[in-house]
Amino acid sequence: MLEAANGPDHLRALQALYAVAVRRQVAARQVVIHEGDVPRSLYLIDRGAATVSLSDWHGEEAVLSLLGPGDFFGEMGMFPSGDGVRSAQVQARVDSTLLEIDYARFVELSREHPVLWLELAGQLAARLRRTNRRLVGVRVLKLSERIWYVLAELAARPDAQRVDGGHCVRITRDELGMLTGCTRETAGKALAELEQDGRIRTQGRSIIVPELPAASGEGGMR
């Protein structure tokens, strides 16, 4: 369950949202939103994780964002722009619990709890900021540094699992490749380079990122 650590206004907003939202259980790899769907609802991740991806003109998939507990998605359909259909796919990374609320109900609820709009706007701004950094990184950073940036970003999230000496990040080579513009194999080589340099440790499918004093998370409502 989400925690409201940002004060009583957030707590009341969360309680109101939980009271009216529909709880959905989704399995790992289940697609929640398809590109081209007609948008009707907003989602909030209660437990679990999701991947936001987009297909290019050649049908190649690119990962736009990795989401975790407290993150909203599906919000773009509320704004009067675009062609009126979902612009990206959202797929559960693990078994997850989502809260679904239709747009009209969310707008009505946000009139009573304006902090919901502030939270949603803050998350959109954070995602845009991360995307801009990645776009710049593709041009100016070598691949291992781009991979490191993504890992540090995930390790700084409030929902990252703390382990001895750092945080555990679970992400596949495919996802890393799609986030940083390379192949799965090349992402694997970059991870090996980072591990050889002592900047990460790998444990099976998990990656251990050492404690980062300067890192700051950009999670959702808590």
Side-chain angles (χ1 to χ4, degrees):
M1 181 180 241
L2 298 175
E3 297 176 358
N6 294 322
D9 288 346
H10 279 75
L11 177 59
R12 286 191 290 269
L14 276 177
Q15 289 172 335
L17 184 62
Y18 270 83
V20 300
V22 176
R23 184 178 295 269
R24 290 188 55 187
Q25 305 292 334
V26 296
R29 303 191 64 80
Q30 181 177 338
V31 176
V32 182
I33 288 177
H34 293 83
E35 285 184 64
D37 283 352
V38 176
R40 295 186 176 88
S41 300
L42 176 70
Y43 297 86
L44 176 68
I45 300 177
D46 186 15
R47 296 180 186 275
T51 302
V52 183
S53 61
L54 182 68
S55 297
D56 63 18
W57 293 345
H58 304 289
E60 297 293 331
E61 186 179 15
V63 173
L64 302 179
S65 185
L66 300 179
L67 307 179
D71 286 335
F72 284 103
F73 65 88
E75 71 286 333
M76 298 305 291
M78 286 195 296
F79 301 103
S81 61
D83 53 10
V85 297
R86 298 287 194 191
S87 58
Q89 174 178 285
V90 181
Q91 183 180 37
R93 299 180 69 213
V94 297
D95 293 346
S96 303
T97 303
L98 309 177
L99 301 178
E100 180 180 4
I101 180 171
D102 68 76
Y103 292 146
R105 191 69 183 91
F106 180 84
V107 171
E108 179 184 345
L109 190 64
S110 64
R111 292 194 182 103
E112 184 178 353
H113 302 279
V115 69
L116 290 172
W117 277 120
L118 293 175
E119 176 67 22
L120 186 58
Q123 290 190 19
L124 287 172
R127 288 175 204 166
L128 179 60
R129 186 161 57 245
R130 291 193 294 266
T131 300
N132 288 343
R133 288 173 181 166
R134 290 197 195 109
L135 287 174
V136 172
V138 167
R139 298 180 59 185
V140 303
L141 297 177
K142 68 176 186 177
L143 177 60
S144 61
E145 294 303 316
R146 301 203 306 265
I147 296 286
W148 168 250
Y149 175 83
V150 170
L151 296 176
E153 175 188 301
L154 294 173
R157 288 185 57 96
D159 56 290
Q161 180 185 353
R162 183 177 291 277
V163 296
D164 185 30
H167 291 85
C168 178
V169 173
R170 291 185 173 86
I171 183 170
T172 68
R173 273 60 170 173
D174 285 322
E175 290 171 329
L176 275 174
M178 287 187 284
L179 276 166
T180 57
C182 69
T183 65
R184 179 184 188 279
E185 291 74 18
T186 307
K189 292 178 181 178
L191 286 175
E193 179 182 334
L194 290 171
E195 186 165 25
Q196 185 175 11
D197 291 342
R199 300 173 71 182
I200 63 170
R201 304 194 316 270
T202 58
Q203 294 181 357
R205 296 185 179 181
S206 299
I207 301 168
I208 309 302
V209 179
E211 197 70 46
L212 302 170
S216 60
E218 293 178 299
M221 181 183 289
R222 295 294 184 268

